[in-house]
Amino acid sequence: MAKILFDIAAGQPPAEWIDSHLVMEISRHIFSYAVINVEKKLLQLRFYELEARNSHELAQELDGIITVDEVLKMPAAKKTFVYNFPESQLVPEQYFNADTSNDLIELLNGDLNKGVTLTESIPGTDQYNVFRVPADVHHLFQRSFADAKYWHYYSLWLQPGQQQFLQQTTSLSVMFYPNRIVAAAVKDSRLQLLQSYTYEAAEDVGYYLLNICGQLDLAAADTPVILSGMIDVSSVLYTEIFKYFGHVELENNDAAAATPALQDYPAHFFSPLLKLAACVS
């Protein structure tokens, strides 16, 4: 059964909701959304933790949320849902072939998880994103939000306006979710890796990040690491990362800092979702 981890209302009057934009993020274990107005002010932010064991249960759990969540029923002027599923492959434009997209996903990820294969061109780049999402989930969101647009998380994150991490020649950016991270590694000002990992213990995260550095021949002590999402600086998880990396910083999101309702939380905590909302607004 889904449970709400965070429920933050900015307390804006109804007039502020006119022409609002609802941005939803869907993954296997988290469903979250942010509502922002035309001035890009946050009106509502809500995080659900999901307990589904398979794709069918995931669709059922999400259907239950959509049925009872009053904010999702409000007539937002614009709606966007963003898939954050790990089965994704970036393909240079010259090698992209829509007819072989499903074969590519099955070759790289296997065919155990059945779903629908989708493709999209990443604006401002010469790449396509080929990705797979559970079919029941995709049909649910298309049916429930018929006028909405959809994207994959990686596609939005890679758009030029969002690539602050490329400002450094070498960097490792890590976005935290409950028991999951999304890591992006940059070397020589070029993206080398963008991948999701699940973890159970803090040591798992340390291993993944050190392994990435080993694969790309990066010196952990000299590589800047930028953390965002649900990580607490007083946690064992943060301490584990700090043991191996000499330049660790927390991403400071301007939208979070400027929103009174979020000032009780660390500025980096909701940065991934807020960056998505800013990207598609």
Side-chain angles (χ1 to χ4, degrees):
M1 182 177 179
K3 63 180 180 181
I4 296 177
L5 294 181
F6 301 98
D7 190 9
I8 301 169
Q12 301 293 337
E16 292 283 337
W17 288 71
I18 297 175
D19 296 327
S20 63
H21 185 187
L22 170 64
V23 181
M24 299 162 278
E25 180 183 357
I26 308 108
S27 68
R28 296 195 185 279
H29 302 295
I30 289 288
F31 171 66
S32 62
Y33 64 77
V35 183
I36 56 177
N37 67 8
V38 291
E39 298 176 348
K40 298 186 179 181
K41 292 181 179 178
L42 179 70
L43 305 177
Q44 180 84 38
L45 184 148
R46 186 170 290 170
F47 267 77
Y48 288 91
E49 185 174 27
L50 311 175
E51 298 182 352
R53 295 168 296 180
N54 53 54
S55 297
H56 180 66
E57 289 184 4
L58 177 61
Q60 289 182 322
E61 204 164 3
L62 291 168
D63 191 18
I65 293 172
I66 293 170
T67 300
V68 302
D69 191 309
E70 295 300 324
V71 175
L72 297 178
K73 298 177 183 178
M74 296 183 65
K78 185 178 178 182
K79 298 178 181 180
T80 305
F81 53 94
V82 181
Y83 291 129
N84 193 346
F85 293 97
E87 296 171 325
S88 167
Q89 180 63 39
L90 303 178
V91 181
E93 186 175 12
Q94 64 266 36
Y95 300 116
F96 174 74
N97 184 337
D99 294 335
T100 60
S101 295
N102 188 65
D103 294 336
L104 175 64
I105 286 295
E106 290 193 353
L107 175 65
L108 296 172
N109 298 278
D111 58 1
L112 181 62
N113 295 323
K114 300 298 182 181
V116 56
T117 299
L118 306 170
T119 65
E120 57 196 18
S121 175
I122 303 175
T125 75
D126 59 354
Q127 297 184 88
Y128 278 79
N129 189 353
V130 180
F131 59 97
R132 182 165 63 191
V133 301
D136 289 350
V137 172
H138 186 57
H139 296 154
L140 169 66
F141 276 84
Q142 286 197 308
R143 183 174 67 250
S144 302
F145 305 98
D147 56 344
K149 294 183 178 180
Y150 68 83
W151 289 94
H152 191 272
Y153 183 92
Y154 295 176
S155 300
L156 293 177
W157 202 73
L158 285 172
Q159 290 187 23
Q162 301 301 309
Q163 292 186 12
Q164 296 91 340
F165 61 94
L166 286 181
Q167 294 174 2
Q168 302 187 59
T169 303
T170 301
S171 66
L172 188 56
S173 180
V174 190
M175 291 145 282
F176 284 84
Y177 294 84
N179 301 114
R180 178 171 168 259
I181 62 171
V182 179
V186 170
K187 181 180 180 181
D188 299 328
S189 297
R190 294 182 62 86
L191 179 70
Q192 304 291 333
L193 177 144
L194 179 57
Q195 191 169 336
S196 297
Y197 303 87
T198 58
Y199 69 90
E200 295 183 2
E203 293 79 7
D204 297 338
V205 176
Y207 168 79
Y208 290 138
L209 300 185
L210 289 173
N211 189 47
I212 290 171
C213 288
Q215 291 180 46
L216 301 178
D217 195 25
L218 300 175
D222 300 325
T223 300
V225 179
I226 305 165
L227 309 179
S228 63
M230 298 179 184
I231 180 171
D232 192 322
V233 295
S234 62
S235 66
V236 175
L237 189 56
Y238 183 82
T239 303
E240 179 72 13
I241 295 171
F242 212 81
K243 277 197 300 188
Y244 303 108
F245 294 90
H247 303 278
V248 180
E249 61 181 277
L250 299 170
E251 185 174 66
N252 186 19
N253 186 279
D254 293 337
T259 304
L262 296 180
Q263 290 181 359
D264 290 337
Y265 300 90
H268 66 279
F269 221 61
F270 303 112
S271 182
L273 177 59
L274 294 176
K275 284 174 66 177
L276 288 179
C279 184
V280 297
S281 62

